mmCIF file of all heavy atoms in Angstrom:
data_model
loop_
_atom_site.group_PDB
_atom_site.id
_atom_site.type_symbol
_atom_site.label_atom_id
_atom_site.label_comp_id
_atom_site.label_asym_id
_atom_site.label_seq_id
_atom_site.Cartn_x
_atom_site.Cartn_y
_atom_site.Cartn_z
ATOM 1 N N HIS A 71 88.357 -1.745 -47.104
ATOM 2 C CA HIS A 71 87.416 -2.438 -46.246
ATOM 3 C C HIS A 71 88.196 -3.027 -45.074
ATOM 4 O O HIS A 71 89.321 -3.503 -45.235
ATOM 5 C CB HIS A 71 86.706 -3.553 -47.027
ATOM 6 C CG HIS A 71 85.592 -4.199 -46.275
ATOM 7 N ND1 HIS A 71 85.811 -5.159 -45.302
ATOM 8 C CD2 HIS A 71 84.237 -4.024 -46.334
ATOM 9 C CE1 HIS A 71 84.650 -5.551 -44.816
ATOM 10 N NE2 HIS A 71 83.673 -4.875 -45.418
ATOM 11 N N PRO A 72 87.657 -2.994 -43.848
ATOM 12 C CA PRO A 72 88.391 -3.477 -42.668
ATOM 13 C C PRO A 72 88.876 -4.919 -42.755
ATOM 14 O O PRO A 72 89.780 -5.309 -42.009
ATOM 15 C CB PRO A 72 87.368 -3.318 -41.534
ATOM 16 C CG PRO A 72 86.456 -2.237 -42.005
ATOM 17 C CD PRO A 72 86.363 -2.398 -43.488
ATOM 18 N N ALA A 73 88.323 -5.733 -43.656
ATOM 19 C CA ALA A 73 88.741 -7.130 -43.766
ATOM 20 C C ALA A 73 90.046 -7.290 -44.548
ATOM 21 O O ALA A 73 90.571 -8.404 -44.629
ATOM 22 C CB ALA A 73 87.635 -7.948 -44.441
ATOM 23 N N PHE A 74 90.601 -6.193 -45.097
ATOM 24 C CA PHE A 74 91.756 -6.327 -45.992
ATOM 25 C C PHE A 74 92.911 -5.429 -45.557
ATOM 26 O O PHE A 74 93.449 -4.649 -46.338
ATOM 27 C CB PHE A 74 91.338 -5.995 -47.425
ATOM 28 C CG PHE A 74 90.254 -6.882 -47.953
ATOM 29 C CD1 PHE A 74 88.939 -6.457 -47.959
ATOM 30 C CD2 PHE A 74 90.541 -8.156 -48.406
ATOM 31 C CE1 PHE A 74 87.932 -7.276 -48.429
ATOM 32 C CE2 PHE A 74 89.538 -8.997 -48.878
ATOM 33 C CZ PHE A 74 88.229 -8.559 -48.887
ATOM 34 N N LEU A 75 93.310 -5.558 -44.291
ATOM 35 C CA LEU A 75 94.406 -4.748 -43.769
ATOM 36 C C LEU A 75 95.768 -5.409 -43.944
ATOM 37 O O LEU A 75 96.794 -4.745 -43.806
ATOM 38 C CB LEU A 75 94.172 -4.456 -42.276
ATOM 39 C CG LEU A 75 92.979 -3.550 -41.956
ATOM 40 C CD1 LEU A 75 92.870 -3.342 -40.455
ATOM 41 C CD2 LEU A 75 93.109 -2.217 -42.666
ATOM 42 N N ALA A 76 95.799 -6.712 -44.244
ATOM 43 C CA ALA A 76 97.084 -7.393 -44.406
ATOM 44 C C ALA A 76 97.837 -6.849 -45.621
ATOM 45 O O ALA A 76 97.235 -6.412 -46.608
ATOM 46 C CB ALA A 76 96.855 -8.901 -44.567
ATOM 47 N N LYS A 77 99.173 -6.863 -45.534
ATOM 48 C CA LYS A 77 99.993 -6.341 -46.629
ATOM 49 C C LYS A 77 99.755 -7.097 -47.931
ATOM 50 O O LYS A 77 99.903 -6.540 -49.016
ATOM 51 C CB LYS A 77 101.472 -6.418 -46.249
ATOM 52 C CG LYS A 77 101.873 -5.442 -45.155
ATOM 53 C CD LYS A 77 103.368 -5.510 -44.886
ATOM 54 C CE LYS A 77 103.779 -4.493 -43.832
ATOM 55 N NZ LYS A 77 105.238 -4.546 -43.550
ATOM 56 N N THR A 78 99.398 -8.364 -47.833
ATOM 57 C CA THR A 78 99.153 -9.159 -49.038
ATOM 58 C C THR A 78 97.936 -8.677 -49.809
ATOM 59 O O THR A 78 97.766 -9.012 -50.979
ATOM 60 C CB THR A 78 98.959 -10.644 -48.666
ATOM 61 O OG1 THR A 78 97.924 -10.743 -47.669
ATOM 62 C CG2 THR A 78 100.238 -11.230 -48.104
ATOM 63 N N HIS A 79 97.077 -7.891 -49.168
ATOM 64 C CA HIS A 79 95.885 -7.370 -49.834
ATOM 65 C C HIS A 79 96.075 -5.960 -50.378
ATOM 66 O O HIS A 79 95.123 -5.360 -50.881
ATOM 67 C CB HIS A 79 94.691 -7.376 -48.863
ATOM 68 C CG HIS A 79 94.282 -8.738 -48.400
ATOM 69 N ND1 HIS A 79 94.105 -9.788 -49.258
ATOM 70 C CD2 HIS A 79 94.026 -9.229 -47.144
ATOM 71 C CE1 HIS A 79 93.744 -10.864 -48.578
ATOM 72 N NE2 HIS A 79 93.695 -10.551 -47.296
ATOM 73 N N HIS A 80 97.279 -5.415 -50.244
ATOM 74 C CA HIS A 80 97.512 -4.044 -50.717
ATOM 75 C C HIS A 80 97.319 -3.986 -52.233
ATOM 76 O O HIS A 80 97.863 -4.821 -52.969
ATOM 77 C CB HIS A 80 98.929 -3.595 -50.355
ATOM 78 C CG HIS A 80 99.115 -2.112 -50.423
ATOM 79 N ND1 HIS A 80 99.209 -1.426 -51.623
ATOM 80 C CD2 HIS A 80 99.219 -1.172 -49.458
ATOM 81 C CE1 HIS A 80 99.370 -0.141 -51.383
ATOM 82 N NE2 HIS A 80 99.375 0.048 -50.079
ATOM 83 N N PRO A 81 96.570 -3.009 -52.763
ATOM 84 C CA PRO A 81 96.231 -2.966 -54.196
ATOM 85 C C PRO A 81 97.329 -2.354 -55.070
ATOM 86 O O PRO A 81 97.043 -1.594 -55.989
ATOM 87 C CB PRO A 81 94.964 -2.118 -54.216
ATOM 88 C CG PRO A 81 95.159 -1.163 -53.082
ATOM 89 C CD PRO A 81 95.883 -1.934 -52.015
ATOM 90 N N ASN A 82 98.598 -2.660 -54.790
ATOM 91 C CA ASN A 82 99.699 -2.075 -55.562
ATOM 92 C C ASN A 82 99.604 -2.395 -57.044
ATOM 93 O O ASN A 82 99.856 -1.538 -57.897
ATOM 94 C CB ASN A 82 101.046 -2.565 -55.010
ATOM 95 C CG ASN A 82 101.536 -1.713 -53.853
ATOM 96 O OD1 ASN A 82 101.255 -0.516 -53.788
ATOM 97 N ND2 ASN A 82 102.237 -2.332 -52.925
ATOM 98 N N GLY A 83 99.269 -3.647 -57.352
ATOM 99 C CA GLY A 83 99.189 -4.066 -58.754
ATOM 100 C C GLY A 83 98.154 -3.278 -59.534
ATOM 101 O O GLY A 83 98.405 -2.844 -60.666
ATOM 102 N N LEU A 84 96.988 -3.082 -58.943
ATOM 103 C CA LEU A 84 95.919 -2.327 -59.599
ATOM 104 C C LEU A 84 96.325 -0.868 -59.803
ATOM 105 O O LEU A 84 96.116 -0.299 -60.877
ATOM 106 C CB LEU A 84 94.640 -2.413 -58.764
ATOM 107 C CG LEU A 84 93.459 -1.562 -59.243
ATOM 108 C CD1 LEU A 84 92.989 -2.032 -60.600
ATOM 109 C CD2 LEU A 84 92.312 -1.614 -58.222
ATOM 110 N N LEU A 85 96.900 -0.260 -58.773
ATOM 111 C CA LEU A 85 97.305 1.143 -58.870
ATOM 112 C C LEU A 85 98.378 1.329 -59.938
ATOM 113 O O LEU A 85 98.322 2.261 -60.750
ATOM 114 C CB LEU A 85 97.814 1.639 -57.516
ATOM 115 C CG LEU A 85 96.803 1.635 -56.361
ATOM 116 C CD1 LEU A 85 97.455 2.115 -55.071
ATOM 117 C CD2 LEU A 85 95.581 2.484 -56.686
#
Side-chain angles (χ1 to χ4, degrees):
H71 188 281
F74 300 99
L75 293 180
K77 290 184 178 180
T78 54
H79 297 312
H80 197 286
N82 274 329
L84 174 64
L85 298 178

